Amino acid sequence: MLIKRPQPGYSARIQPSEITPESVYLDRRRLLQAAIAAGTLAAGPAWPETRRPALAPLSFERNARFSTDETPNSYEDITTYNNFYEFGTSKGDPAANSGRFEPAPWTVTISGEAEITGTFALEDLLKPHPLEERIYRLRCVEAWSMVIPWVGVPLGAVLSRFKPTSRAKYVAFKSVHRPEQMPGQRYPVLKWPYVEGLRIDEAMHPLSLLVVGLYGKTLPNQNGAPLRLMSPWKYGFKGIKSIVAIEFTERQPPSSWNLAQPHEYGFYANVNPEVDHPRWSQARERRIGAGLFESRIPTRMFNGYEEEVAHLYRGMDLRKFF
Ligand SMILES: Nc1nc2c(c(=O)[nH]1)N[C@H]1C(S)=C(S)[C@@H](COP(=O)(O)O)O[C@H]1N2
Ligand SMILES: [Mo]
């Protein structure tokens, strides 16, 4: 059913009438222009804006059931305060250094314990699935959080089409390795490429989202263009960016932060205010963008999705499987 041939760009099929009103969203370009006009932005570091592919508007429906009702962070916050070590380890590095990254054309290789495997154009992977907007809180293991209106498709729906076998107990994900376009990959801060994994039932859970956009437009490079993961009850580092490979495995796959520091970052990485990171508390989180006096708010078990996901871990010692 999956045709291995390139398709016109994902955005090419979007009808103008389906486009979400631009005015709804704070556009970074507009903010920048306003800042420049107001003289608040001196001759700062030139973001390589002109080399960026235009962000295409997407059509989607809001999934209210799975969305938080908290106010989303600004587009500016979401696209300038990032963790994406392939572009550098500072929060501003991904926005500053991802201008040369080319997120199109893009293919994803599906392999392992499934009846259907192969390399597929991103458009073919996504085409049968209507896009949804879901407002999820991203809770980073560094004890900060943001609220982000993601656009994507349920991961489980995409995976099911490949007919995983009964031996598929886990799903392994791999990010792209392109040192020529990702300057951070020239340094061994992590073992490249970045890898992550989920248990198959976590991957199939309706909350797990394959993300292609935010604030109604395709993903900016710094947020993991063109395809990244979001399982909102887990710490942010599970949300692997710029995915090029998905493998169904029988054994638990490696994950980058667990490989780097196994005592600090577990495979499960479920948000849990009761299990501290060895070097800091996880009881509270700092909401990015809340102003000069950024509020510290209590972290919720499973990032607020206890009702939906606690059953996945019944009987497991969450201090051991952290
Ligand atoms: N490939 C890759 N994926 C990654 C990371 C990374 O460094 N490389 N950082 C992770 C971490 S620690 C977080 S908190 C989120 C940040 O996503 P955002 O920048 O879109 O907010 O991406 C995750 N995915
Ligand atoms: Mo993170």
Side-chain angles (χ1 to χ4, degrees), residues 29-40:
R29 185 188 294 270
R30 259 183 19 235
L31 280 175
L32 261 180
Q33 282 167 350
I36 290 164
T40 53

Side-chain angles (χ1 to χ4, degrees), residues 14 30 63 111 295:
I14 312 283
R30 259 183 19 235
N63 183 328
S111 65
S295 48

Side-chain angles (χ1 to χ4, degrees), residues 77-79 81-88 94 138-142 144 146 148 150 174-176 182 185 190 192-196 214 219 222-224 228-230 235-243 256-257:
D77 283 345
I78 295 168
T79 58
Y81 189 94
N82 300 101
N83 272 340
F84 200 169
Y85 278 20
E86 284 87 335
F87 295 112
L138 184 148
R139 171 51 162 87
C140 180
V141 75
E142 295 166 303
W144 51 263
M146 282 202 229
I148 304 178
W150 301 109
K174 190 164 75 180
S175 291
V176 72
M182 303 176 117
Q185 283 183 335
L190 288 173
W192 309 116
Y194 196 99
V195 292
E196 258 305 338
L214 66 83
L219 277 175
Q222 59 268 38
N223 293 90
R228 59 94 58 86
L229 178 67
M230 191 49 56
Y235 289 119
F237 69 84
K238 297 297 282 185
I240 182 171
K241 295 173 165 177
S242 304
I243 297 167
S256 282
W257 280 101

Side-chain angles (χ1 to χ4, degrees), residues 269-301:
N270 291 322
V271 173
N272 189 340
E274 288 158 26
V275 176
D276 288 337
H277 184 280
R279 289 183 281 135
W280 59 80
S281 166
Q282 294 291 17
R284 302 177 80 76
E285 63 202 54
R286 181 172 57 93
R287 176 61 48 80
I288 298 301
L292 208 51
F293 306 95
E294 283 175 347
S295 48
R296 293 180 65 85
I297 47 185
T299 285
R300 292 159 73 193
M301 189 66 193

Side-chain angles (χ1 to χ4, degrees), residues 8-295:
Y10 193 49
S11 58
R13 295 181 311 277
I14 312 283
Q15 300 302 308
S17 60
E18 298 172 325
I19 294 169
T20 306
E22 196 79 358
S23 59
V24 173
Y25 301 123
L26 289 171
D27 182 76
R28 180 163 61 83
R29 185 188 294 270
R30 259 183 19 235
L31 280 175
L32 261 180
Q33 282 167 350
I36 290 164
T40 53
L41 201 83
W47 275 323
E49 192 76 28
T50 50
R51 284 182 312 205
R52 278 164 200 278
L55 301 178
L58 300 167
S59 69
F60 54 85
E61 282 194 25
R62 163 81 54 86
N63 183 328
R65 181 162 123 72
F66 287 144
S67 294
T68 169
D69 52 15
E70 292 157 289
T71 307
N73 277 84
S74 68
Y75 191 78
E76 177 78 358
D77 283 345
I78 295 168
T79 58
T80 58
Y81 189 94
N82 300 101
N83 272 340
F84 200 169
Y85 278 20
E86 284 87 335
F87 295 112
T89 55
S90 299
K91 297 291 181 269
D93 285 346
N97 301 332
S98 60
R100 282 177 192 281
F101 183 73
E102 290 170 11
W106 196 264
T107 58
V108 180
T109 299
I110 311 286
S111 65
E113 302 290 352
E115 284 176 33
I116 303 168
T117 57
T119 297
F120 304 93
L122 177 61
E123 291 78 5
D124 290 330
L125 214 62
L126 299 174
K127 203 169 30 186
H129 309 284
L131 293 178
E132 292 180 20
E133 181 179 67
R134 300 182 180 191
I135 304 175
Y136 283 167
R137 190 182 318 104
L138 184 148
R139 171 51 162 87
C140 180
V141 75
E142 295 166 303
W144 51 263
S145 62
M146 282 202 229
V147 177
I148 304 178
W150 301 109
V151 179
V153 298
L155 172 64
V158 174
L159 296 183
S160 300
R161 290 169 67 216
F162 299 98
K163 300 191 183 345
T165 72
S166 59
R167 284 187 299 278
K169 303 281 197 288
Y170 295 89
V171 186
F173 300 86
K174 190 164 75 180
S175 291
V176 72
H177 187 231
R178 277 188 202 167
E180 68 288 357
Q181 291 181 14
M182 303 176 117
Q185 283 183 335
R186 294 171 205 156
Y187 306 93
V189 279
L190 288 173
K191 194 166 170 274
W192 309 116
Y194 196 99
V195 292
E196 258 305 338
L198 295 172
R199 222 170 52 190
I200 189 85
D201 57 344
E202 298 177 322
M204 301 307 288
H205 191 283
L207 279 170
S208 288
L209 196 66
L210 265 181
V211 171
V212 297
L214 66 83
Y215 261 116
K217 291 184 268 191
T218 48
L219 277 175
N221 287 344
Q222 59 268 38
N223 293 90
L227 184 73
R228 59 94 58 86
L229 178 67
M230 191 49 56
S231 292
W233 68 97
K234 292 179 176 287
Y235 289 119
F237 69 84
K238 297 297 282 185
I240 182 171
K241 295 173 165 177
S242 304
I243 297 167
V244 290
I246 300 176
E247 181 183 3
F248 296 97
T249 67
E250 193 160 16
R251 303 258 178 98
Q252 182 178 298
S255 71
S256 282
W257 280 101
N258 180 251
L259 283 176
Q261 299 187 58
H263 301 296
E264 301 195 358
Y265 308 101
F267 173 78
Y268 283 92
N270 291 322
V271 173
N272 189 340
E274 288 158 26
V275 176
D276 288 337
H277 184 280
R279 289 183 281 135
W280 59 80
S281 166
Q282 294 291 17
R284 302 177 80 76
E285 63 202 54
R286 181 172 57 93
R287 176 61 48 80
I288 298 301
L292 208 51
F293 306 95
E294 283 175 347
S295 48

